[in-house]
Amino acid sequence: AAPKPYVYKYREGLNLHAEVSLLHNKSKKVTKGSTMYIAGETTKTGKLLTSKPCKSCTSLIVAMGVARVVYYSNGELEEINL
């Protein structure tokens, strides 16, 4: 069975990127060689937002051994191979 996707829910007053929230309690054994999918949406319209990881999150993603990141950008899925 496929693993259940992790869903980050924004809470009022909480400023934490989804990538950090996801990787915070994971071990490198779990994340090494994995693919991370990132998508964000507005709460008012549900429209998807560009979700390319920032430089700090990208550094964390690399440090945790993630091999590939797929994110939404301007109506298209983009990919970063690390």
Side-chain angles (χ1 to χ4, degrees), residues 1-77:
K4 186 175 180 180
Y6 176 86
V7 177
Y8 169 77
K9 301 270 186 186
Y10 174 79
R11 285 186 253 152
E12 194 71 34
L14 181 64
N15 185 11
L16 185 65
H17 290 196
E19 301 92 317
V20 174
S21 180
L22 172 66
L23 295 172
H24 179 70
N25 290 318
K26 303 293 182 210
S27 76
K28 195 169 182 178
K29 282 193 257 183
V30 173
T31 58
K32 187 175 182 180
S34 66
T35 298
M36 177 183 280
Y37 294 88
I38 306 171
E41 66 179 19
T42 64
T43 53
K44 293 181 181 178
T45 65
K47 182 180 176 184
L48 288 176
L49 303 170
T50 295
S51 53
K52 182 176 182 177
C54 69
K55 288 181 182 182
S56 294
C57 287
T58 300
S59 295
L60 175 61
I61 291 166
V62 169
M64 292 300 290
V66 174
R68 183 173 154 239
V69 176
V70 178
Y71 64 94
Y72 182 82
S73 179
N74 300 317
E76 303 279 328
L77 287 177

